[in-house]
Amino acid sequence: MVKTGLEGRNGVGKTTLLKLITGELEPRSGLVTVKGRLGILRQTLQPHPGETIADLFGVVDALAILRRAELGEATDDDLNIADWTLESRIRAALDRLDLHVSAETLLQTLSGGQRTRAGLAALVFAEPDFLLLDEPTNNLDRNGRQTVIDLLAGWKSGAVVVSHDRELLDTMESIVELTTLGATRYGGNWTTYRELKAQELAAAERYLADAEKRIADAARVAQERTERQNRKNSAGRRDGKSGGTPRIILGGRKDRAEDTTGGNARLAEHQHEQAMQAASEARERIEVLQPFTVKLPPTGLPLGKRVLEVVKATAGYRPKQPVIRDLSLTLTGPERVAVIGPNGTGKTTFLSLITGKLHPWSGTVEMSTPFALLDQQVSVLDPSASIRDNFRRINPQADEQTCRSALAKFMFRADAALQTVSTLSGGQVLRAGLACVLGVAPPPLLILDEPTNHLDIDSIEAVEAGLRAFDGALLVVSHDETFLKAIGITRRIEL
């Protein structure tokens, strides 16, 4: 069965389509038919208090029977239905996702990446007939991303994968593109899809240009016919006034002139309608898009300016359990540094340390320039306020015109800027955060924590272009290798 990548811009309906397939939404028209068992991975796994790996796997009762058997407390009914292979199968599923925890582990104690691994392990354990994966590599480290790729490569059944991970999409066997025009299927992987899409768009644009030229030509020809006929009509009227032509002949000429004028008008109208129809059909083949560009003003950061210095810093959250130990780092001038490492190694803790949210137990941290942090939760934004109000709060020096202009560049035009942040999709929230932080005058240092999570691929490429041209310093936590290469990372710090 085919493994299909589902591609489309934020808000076009990818997650809605998955909900239609799973039955969470009823179609207003048409029919959705599902045969077999579906395995579903959501974008985010929000555990309930006390929820464990066993809950996620749906084996709480079955494990309880085994525990009673171990204690000699099992009933005859327990022993008759006991699954003696259960624990080994759970362990095999967790090992396949490289997750070294027990079935009793609380989900709340796991990092975002570990929760994603747990969700995937639960799918492996359940062995469904078809997989629906919604952004499966979000929050995963480099090894985790490769694990997902390997898992899908070895999956014998079909799968639909919603993702902005270009590396993952390159392993798909087909791509379905969702746009405002509908859904289109392309055979092949992401690279093949992009090539075919570029060819289609170029052909559609040529067809539209030709149709618009036909409109202009039809109008020009109609005008020339009208002018020629008007000249003939004027000549006929002059002959009539001179008295040299009999009245009956003049009447015939007049009738023929009127017929010709009417015929020319009908012909011109027909040709114009044909050209307009061709142009309308051409426009229907081209999606009308709001351009999204990221252009950052210069910061003037000098090459030799010390931006950040960390000297033998140790920090954590619990006494005698440091997350970071004896870390040293110097950032000078417009360097571009990536902070990488497996999930749970302290990357987010490191960002809290250098931004002053967390104080070192020992060592020093000195930030020498203004900075802006955009974390995974986009906590710079107040969820209860509008995008516009958040912008004015974060940029108090900006007037209303500057605010609206900056937000428009990030596709929040007119009333869209008045949306409450809590009502936005994940991609829209991140785009709003980028608009508020980068929209006016970015500081010399930008600190970005997984900035590609939830953004669609066109938006990612727009951000990449803006950061490539940025003259300040970048400190980026990301597992997206394609993104790191695109923004020109010059150094990597592995935790």
Side-chain angles (χ1 to χ4, degrees), residues 150-266:
D150 294 342
L151 172 65
L152 285 169
W155 192 258
K156 302 304 181 184
S157 302
V160 170
V161 181
V162 176
S163 181
H164 60 254
D165 186 331
R166 289 160 285 187
E167 186 177 1
L168 175 61
L169 291 174
D170 245 346
T171 68
M172 296 292 102
E173 296 162 310
S174 70
I175 300 293
V176 171
E177 179 193 48
L178 278 186
T179 70
T180 55
L181 304 179
T184 307
R185 183 181 181 277
Y186 297 82
N189 63 6
W190 169 257
T191 300
T192 302
Y193 152 74
R194 292 291 276 201
E195 292 170 354
L196 293 173
K197 182 69 177 176
Q199 293 170 11
E200 279 187 4
L201 183 59
E205 288 174 342
R206 286 194 301 270
Y207 187 61
L208 177 58
D210 179 66
E212 289 177 338
K213 182 176 182 298
R214 287 171 60 189
I215 293 174
D217 289 345
R220 176 179 53 77
V221 170
Q223 181 64 27
E224 290 174 353
R225 285 199 191 104
T226 299
E227 290 174 355
R228 278 199 306 271
Q229 189 60 45
N230 287 341
R231 286 195 296 270
K232 287 182 180 180
N233 293 346
S234 296
R237 286 193 294 271
R238 286 195 300 272
D239 288 345
K241 290 180 181 179
S242 67
T245 304
R247 186 180 299 275
I248 189 171
I249 295 177
L250 289 174
R253 285 179 180 176
K254 180 180 179 183
D255 290 342
R256 286 195 298 274
E258 290 174 350
D259 290 343
T260 301
T261 301
N264 286 343
R266 288 190 294 275

Side-chain angles (χ1 to χ4, degrees), residues 464-477:
E464 288 172 349
L467 293 180
R468 275 198 302 271
F470 180 54
D471 72 340
L474 290 176
L475 192 61
V476 183
V477 172

Side-chain angles (χ1 to χ4, degrees), residues 43-46 110-116 135 137-141 145 164 339 341-352 355 357 372-381 421 425-434 437 447-455 475-480:
Q43 273 195 40
T44 55
L45 179 61
Q46 298 293 346
L110 302 180
S111 68
Q114 290 172 320
R115 290 177 190 173
T116 300
E135 302 290 3
T137 57
N138 268 8
N139 303 314
L140 288 182
D141 56 31
R145 285 171 176 244
H164 60 254
V339 181
N343 293 131
T345 53
K347 297 183 295 296
T348 300
T349 300
F350 170 71
L351 297 189
S352 296
T355 57
K357 294 181 181 179
L373 167 68
L374 199 66
D375 59 20
Q376 289 189 46
Q377 292 73 37
V378 199
S379 55
V380 69
L381 299 179
V421 169
S425 69
Q428 290 172 318
V429 170
L430 185 51
R431 190 153 37 85
L434 287 167
V437 169
I447 304 172
L448 306 175
D449 189 4
E450 297 291 0
T452 61
N453 275 5
H454 306 298
L455 282 181
L475 192 61
V476 183
V477 172
S478 179
H479 299 299
D480 187 339

Side-chain angles (χ1 to χ4, degrees), residues 62-202:
L63 280 175
I65 291 173
L66 296 181
R67 297 294 174 260
R68 289 198 294 272
E70 290 170 359
L71 297 171
E73 300 173 356
T75 65
D76 289 342
D77 288 341
D78 286 340
L79 295 175
N80 286 333
I81 63 173
D83 182 354
W84 305 106
T85 68
L86 179 61
E87 290 184 288
S88 63
R89 290 190 294 114
I90 293 173
R91 183 72 269 150
L94 292 171
D95 286 346
R96 188 168 176 182
L97 272 299
D98 198 25
L99 190 59
H100 308 295
V101 296
S102 70
E104 289 75 23
T105 300
L106 291 171
L107 294 179
Q108 287 180 314
T109 65
L110 302 180
S111 68
Q114 290 172 320
R115 290 177 190 173
T116 300
R117 289 175 187 262
L120 288 166
L123 293 182
V124 169
F125 177 81
E127 297 181 339
D129 299 306
F130 200 89
L131 291 180
L132 299 177
L133 307 182
D134 197 356
E135 302 290 3
T137 57
N138 268 8
N139 303 314
L140 288 182
D141 56 31
R142 183 68 195 158
N143 289 337
R145 285 171 176 244
Q146 189 59 49
T147 298
V148 172
I149 290 172
D150 294 342
L151 172 65
L152 285 169
W155 192 258
K156 302 304 181 184
S157 302
V160 170
V161 181
V162 176
S163 181
H164 60 254
D165 186 331
R166 289 160 285 187
E167 186 177 1
L168 175 61
L169 291 174
D170 245 346
T171 68
M172 296 292 102
E173 296 162 310
S174 70
I175 300 293
V176 171
E177 179 193 48
L178 278 186
T179 70
T180 55
L181 304 179
T184 307
R185 183 181 181 277
Y186 297 82
N189 63 6
W190 169 257
T191 300
T192 302
Y193 152 74
R194 292 291 276 201
E195 292 170 354
L196 293 173
K197 182 69 177 176
Q199 293 170 11
E200 279 187 4
L201 183 59

Side-chain angles (χ1 to χ4, degrees), residues 321-343:
Q321 295 184 32
V323 178
I324 292 175
R325 189 191 303 271
D326 292 331
L327 176 67
S328 294
L329 167 68
T330 301
L331 185 60
T332 304
E335 284 193 90
R336 294 165 178 254
V337 178
V339 181
I340 59 175
N343 293 131

